[in-house]
Amino acid sequence: MSNWLKYAIAFALAFGLMLAMRTLAVSIHSVTGSALEPLYKNGDRLLINRCSYGLRIAGNGLLPYCRLLRQPVCRGDIVAFTAPSDSIDGLFIARCKAVPGDTLRSKNGITLVPGRVNCAERDYFWLEAVNHNNPADSRSFGLVSEQSIVGRVVTVLYNRKNTLLP
């Protein structure tokens, strides 16, 4: 086998492995706006573990939705999720305030557990943004299904406050 062919095969395998890791295991999300302040700032790059709650198989109409090696979403986890409605695209970040079986009560914009709204339905979660002025969370969407949860935020790869500005 010629020398260039060995390099081409190695490059193709590395590229395929990188695509598989990015699609199935981890992804990078850039924070836009101030909805996540003070925890995350505009411009921060977050690493999201897409396998933290199991390998998500969306199906897209061809297969039924499922998660392999399912792990529970825990109260307090900061999760990435898609909007339950099709009207808004993109990934949203919020803290899990209530898990299935919990009940909620909202008082002056602050969600308390236990309370009135029931999350007892299987696989539904109450997700609230870090900044309470952010409308893109369960206060506007309602309960978020487990199917909408993409993964857990692991760490900040690039933090805006630690960069040097000219």
Side-chain angles (χ1 to χ4, degrees):
M1 191 180 315
S2 66
N3 212 14
W4 68 270
L5 189 56
K6 290 179 187 176
Y7 289 117
I9 291 172
F11 179 76
L13 287 174
F15 186 73
L17 182 61
M18 187 257 327
L19 283 178
M21 286 294 293
R22 178 143 164 67
T23 303
L24 299 175
V26 296
S27 65
I28 298 170
H29 178 69
S30 182
V31 176
T32 55
S34 61
L36 299 173
E37 288 183 357
L39 190 58
Y40 304 120
K41 307 252 186 267
N42 186 24
D44 286 356
R45 309 274 286 170
L46 306 177
L47 182 67
I48 298 169
N49 182 351
R50 297 174 76 92
C51 294
S52 56
Y53 304 119
L55 183 60
R56 183 175 184 247
I57 301 174
N60 297 329
L62 298 173
L63 298 170
Y65 168 83
C66 70
R67 276 201 198 255
L68 302 175
L69 305 171
R70 178 182 274 197
Q71 297 293 318
V73 177
C74 298
R75 191 179 302 110
D77 284 355
I78 297 177
V79 299
F81 68 99
T82 57
S85 64
D86 293 335
S87 61
I88 304 172
D89 288 334
L91 223 57
F92 298 95
I93 308 293
R95 185 182 309 273
C96 181
K97 292 283 254 189
V99 296
D102 287 346
T103 54
L104 302 171
R105 177 170 58 102
S106 183
K107 184 176 184 177
N108 298 331
I110 299 171
T111 304
L112 306 169
V113 179
R116 291 177 299 169
V117 179
N118 194 356
C119 286
E121 282 188 67
R122 186 186 154 154
D123 297 335
Y124 281 88
F125 301 87
W126 184 267
L127 305 176
E128 277 191 16
V130 177
N131 183 342
H132 289 286
N133 297 326
N134 182 17
D137 61 7
S138 287
R139 290 169 290 182
S140 61
F141 297 139
L143 295 172
V144 177
S145 73
E146 188 264 343
Q147 291 183 10
S148 298
I149 295 177
V150 174
R152 184 172 51 88
V153 175
V154 177
T155 189
V156 177
L157 290 178
Y158 170 80
N159 194 317
R160 180 130 181 162
K161 66 182 176 187
N162 291 335
T163 60
L164 297 174
L165 299 174

